[in-house]
Amino acid sequence: MASGDELKRRLTILGSTGSIGTSTLDVIERLGGRDRFEVAALTGNGNIPLLAAQARRMGAELAVTADGDRYGELKDALSGSGIEVAAGRTGLSEAAERDAGWVMAAIVGNAGLGPTLAAARRGADIALANKECLVSAGSLFIDAVAEGGGRLLPVDSEHNAIFQVLENDQRHAVERIVLTASGGPFRTKSLDEMQHVTAEAARAHPNWSMGLKISIDSASMFNKALEMIEARHLFNLRPDQIEVIVHPQSVVHSMVGYADGSVLAQLGCPDMRTAIGYALSYPRRCDLPVERLDFARLARLDFEAPDEVRFPALRLARRAMEEGGLQGAVLNGAKETALGAFIEGRVDFLDMAEIVEEVMNDLAGLPAATSMDDVFAADEQARQAAAGMIP
């Protein structure tokens, strides 16, 4: 971290107006803000007032809205500031290519693939909060990071936890990783009770404050399914080395089991700023104003095996890893379409996994991607196939 007469650290936030982006800016400001960091670019989508306010506050060089139709609105909001403005895919590419040594990749969905890949290829350190980069384009993205020479710093709390306790000089001794899952709001509900739950009920996560889609993904455990696939690529593991355990308190964020029987775990209160701060300051740790664990008050930690009958997403993730090819992209594309239909009330909660499995059956055997075009094509095929199954 820069201090004294050291150079300020230049960074870009792709997706600054979402929950991860706003938390990243909070961490940056608590660590010295503009005195210690230069913001090369900030990107957002439709929340133009927030994006403009962030850009002014941080003195960003460039502000980008992904919505090409909102260029004029952003331009007006930043009039007189001297901040450059861009929009659409071209603008996102410009933000990713701008000289910044650290890039937070927090654009949700496939829209984040192109910009994040571009930043990786030019050698930036990537703080990764976009799931599609690894779920849909795993080996392509890992290869791009290797070619660029930058570091891949996971930001998801579970992957960040593993990153913190995975000893680089002991990789040969890693037997397994254990991803923890809260179990979500339906952890104790029966299949009959889950069949007709509403999107609002699925949104009520017991431990984390998240957006609608990711909260529903957590309730169905599709979020954990995607994390399993991510972990395989992040840590170069076999599918059988990746386990999931339900841990309702969300205090143990994940664990690594070694050949000598040791299990190392990272613990902390549920707060994404811990993972963000670690990715920002790595390999050092920074002082963050997050709640400290009070073990006496906590009193107990509970663990239980996940029920793959009630939460089949975990089984589907394992299948996608074992089959390889583009099955990750197929699973994700189908899931996104089914999720949208659930939010709109067109399918029931349990229908989502059934739709994803049918699409995976129909599109089994797609070969590994050789380009991003292959990834986008598989995603589109999966979305169309899923749409055809929805009333």
Side-chain angles (χ1 to χ4, degrees):
M1 303 293 292
S3 62
D5 57 358
E6 292 182 36
L7 293 175
K8 293 181 181 179
R9 190 170 191 185
R10 279 178 61 83
L11 55 85
T12 284
I13 304 176
L14 303 173
S16 67
T17 57
S19 61
I20 295 294
T22 54
S23 292
T24 302
L25 285 172
D26 180 70
V27 170
I28 288 168
E29 290 181 291
R30 291 176 184 275
L31 294 180
R34 293 171 68 169
D35 290 336
R36 297 181 68 179
F37 300 93
E38 289 182 357
V39 176
L42 299 176
T43 82
N45 191 24
N47 194 339
I48 302 300
L50 178 57
L51 177 60
Q54 290 175 338
R56 286 181 180 273
R57 190 171 77 246
M58 299 306 300
E61 295 174 5
L62 172 69
V64 179
T65 170
D67 186 344
D69 294 333
R70 308 290 290 277
Y71 172 82
E73 187 179 346
L74 182 59
K75 185 78 171 176
D76 291 343
L78 290 172
S79 177
S81 68
I83 297 170
E84 300 172 55
V85 174
R89 288 187 179 181
T90 301
L92 292 177
S93 296
E94 184 179 348
E97 294 285 358
R98 189 151 294 213
D99 180 29
W102 188 91
V103 174
M104 169 58 76
I107 298 176
V108 176
N110 281 345
L113 281 172
T116 307
L117 201 66
R121 282 176 172 155
R122 69 169 177 77
D125 288 345
I126 305 297
L128 187 65
N130 170 286
K131 293 186 178 301
E132 284 74 12
C133 285
L134 291 172
V135 173
S136 298
S139 57
L140 281 177
F141 182 69
I142 292 296
D143 289 346
V145 173
E147 290 167 11
R151 296 177 296 188
L152 185 54
L153 308 167
V155 172
D156 272 354
S157 60
E158 294 80 4
H159 300 125
N160 186 267
I162 295 165
F163 185 63
Q164 291 192 42
V165 297
L166 185 60
E167 301 172 324
N168 281 327
D169 60 349
Q170 298 296 327
R171 290 276 181 144
H172 66 282
V174 173
E175 283 190 340
R176 59 178 174 150
I177 64 165
V178 184
L179 300 170
T180 56
S182 71
F186 307 142
R187 178 175 62 88
T188 61
K189 289 190 179 295
S190 68
L191 279 171
D192 287 342
E193 291 174 316
M194 292 165 66
Q195 181 62 47
H196 300 296
V197 296
T198 65
E200 281 305 309
R203 185 177 196 168
H205 195 282
N207 299 332
W208 299 91
S209 176
M210 304 181 292
L212 177 62
K213 287 188 174 183
I214 192 170
S215 295
I216 296 172
D217 276 349
S218 179
S220 66
M221 295 195 76
F222 263 111
N223 194 48
K224 201 58 51 182
L226 300 183
E227 288 173 7
M228 292 168 67
I229 299 172
E230 288 181 274
R232 183 192 182 187
H233 292 291
L234 272 171
F235 306 114
N236 192 27
L237 299 168
R238 302 185 310 271
D240 65 303
Q241 291 178 289
I242 302 168
E243 300 179 14
V244 172
I245 193 78
V246 175
H247 169 49
Q249 291 90 355
S250 296
V251 168
V252 177
H253 295 140
S254 280
M255 299 170 272
V256 178
Y258 291 93
D260 63 357
S262 298
V263 178
L264 303 188
Q266 187 266 340
L267 286 71
C269 293
D271 192 325
M272 285 305 301
R273 291 178 300 176
T274 298
I276 293 166
Y278 190 73
L280 182 62
S281 62
Y282 180 80
R284 298 177 62 187
R285 293 183 184 271
C286 54
D287 185 6
L288 295 174
V290 299
E291 182 182 356
R292 268 49 174 177
L293 279 179
D294 182 339
F295 286 97
R297 184 164 61 96
L298 183 63
R300 60 182 286 173
L301 299 174
D302 297 303
F303 301 92
E304 58 193 55
D307 184 346
E308 294 190 7
V309 174
R310 291 185 300 127
F311 299 100
L314 303 178
R315 172 175 55 81
L316 297 177
R318 201 166 301 284
R319 172 183 165 181
M321 289 190 291
E322 290 169 350
E323 293 183 5
L326 280 159
Q327 279 292 71
V330 169
L331 183 154
N332 186 68
K335 186 272 298 180
E336 285 290 295
T337 300
L339 173 62
F342 171 64
I343 292 172
E344 294 168 1
R346 296 164 60 200
V347 301
D348 288 333
F349 183 77
L350 297 179
D351 294 337
M352 290 189 289
E354 293 181 7
I355 290 168
V356 171
E357 185 161 21
E358 285 191 48
V359 173
M360 291 177 70
N361 290 339
D362 290 347
L363 299 180
L366 292 179
T370 59
S371 69
M372 288 305 299
D373 288 341
D374 294 338
V375 175
F376 290 131
D379 176 81
E380 183 59 28
Q381 281 183 273
R383 289 173 189 263
Q384 290 182 4
M389 302 172 188
I390 297 168

